[in-house]
Structure formats: C-alpha cells, structure tokens
Amino acid sequence: MEYIDKETIVNFGKEMSVFLHKYSFALSKQDISKYSFRYAYRNKDMYILLKGSFHPYDYPPYLNIIAGKGEDGFPECDINSAPLWMIIRYLTNSHYAKEYDLNLISKSDFFERIKSDMKCYLQSFLNGDFEMIEKARKWYANELDLDNIGDK
C-alpha cells in the first residue's frame, strides 16, 4: 500500500475545495507543516475542519473531520462542533467509528473514501442543517454520562 504523504495532503486540500464548493463552502484557512495539516472551510457561520498529524508522538497518523458552527478556533470549536466519528456513531449506533488512521487508507482511494463518508454522514450539515450536530453532541454526552460525572 502506498501511504499518504505531504503531496497527497496538498492535493487532498485542493480536491476538498472543489467538493465542498458544491455546498457553498470555501477554503478560509490552511496550514501545512512538517508533521501536521489543517484546512478550514466556511459557509457563512458553518465550518468544516480537516486536520491531521503525522508526528511520531501522535501515532498512528490521523485525519479528523469536524463540522461546526461559529468560530473554528479554541475554545468555541470545542463547544459548537462534532467530529465525523461522533456523528457516525450517533447515526449508526456503532462504537467503532474513530478518526481516520492514515496508515490504513491507501493513497489511491484516500479522497474518494473521505468524500463518500462526508456525503453519507454529513449531507444534512453540508446542506445547511446544524441540528444533527447538536443531536450527535447531546447523544455522545449522554453515552459518556457527562451530566453525572461529579456524582460518582
């Protein structure tokens, strides 16, 4: 298997720009360093973040896709967003969804797999509906029993 490299990440950003433009999202921020990358796409007050790391301390290398509303920086993004893995868990009632392990995705189908998952699980968000994100966050908090964390 041919692994994801920096050139693939740059091309991925370009391909995602074309894909997300169909839903009126435009690239607003981009940061690519030796060990990490972050793309932020905005449609008015809604955003999609694509961020990942190749740093040895973050092993395995990963990609995380986050959908949110409002500011895409800390701390607001921790309150107003949900990662795609959480949305998949909410919609499928599966506990196996997680960040994308870049060691397990081949270079040849990287973009198509991400695009397919976004179309499948983020379609309502891409079309402007934030309600699913709120429901997924509430469901996940309930799964973790966050409301009663201090009572134990």
Side-chain angles (χ1 to χ4, degrees):
M1 178 185 330
E2 194 174 357
Y3 296 111
I4 309 300
D5 56 16
K6 191 168 184 175
E7 180 183 345
T8 303
I9 295 301
V10 170
N11 289 335
F12 172 67
K14 292 175 185 175
E15 291 183 49
M16 288 306 299
S17 290
V18 172
F19 168 68
L20 290 170
H21 180 74
K22 296 173 186 173
Y23 300 95
S24 300
F25 282 84
L27 182 64
S28 64
K29 295 177 196 167
Q30 172 181 314
D31 180 31
I32 303 171
S33 68
K34 181 178 180 181
Y35 290 117
S36 65
F37 60 94
R38 183 180 192 271
Y39 294 99
Y41 298 88
R42 295 200 70 86
N43 177 354
K44 299 176 186 159
D45 65 339
M46 297 174 77
Y47 63 85
I48 297 277
L49 293 180
L50 306 169
K51 58 185 191 173
S53 175
F54 292 94
H55 198 282
Y57 293 144
D58 291 334
Y59 191 83
Y62 70 87
L63 164 68
N64 201 4
I65 300 171
I66 301 165
K69 186 175 185 179
E71 293 298 318
D72 58 49
F74 181 79
E76 189 175 343
C77 69
D78 281 358
I79 309 166
N80 68 11
S81 66
L84 182 57
W85 61 261
M86 183 188 296
I87 296 163
I88 293 171
R89 286 181 184 190
Y90 166 68
L91 293 174
T92 65
N93 205 21
S94 166
H95 293 284
Y96 297 107
K98 60 183 180 177
E99 296 170 332
Y100 293 92
D101 180 339
L102 296 178
N103 282 337
L104 301 178
I105 301 175
S106 72
K107 186 175 176 178
S108 61
D109 68 349
F110 178 60
F111 174 67
E112 289 304 318
R113 173 149 176 224
I114 304 303
K115 185 174 78 170
S116 173
D117 285 353
M118 289 178 75
K119 281 182 178 179
C120 183
Y121 301 109
L122 286 178
Q123 190 67 49
S124 63
F125 176 82
L126 293 171
N127 288 321
D129 183 6
F130 187 71
E131 184 178 2
M132 181 195 38
I133 305 300
E134 293 170 325
K135 286 180 178 178
R137 287 184 57 81
K138 184 178 248 185
W139 171 85
Y140 192 66
N142 188 51
E143 285 287 300
L144 297 177
D145 199 19
L146 292 179
D147 292 333
N148 299 315
I149 203 150
D151 297 339
K152 295 179 180 175

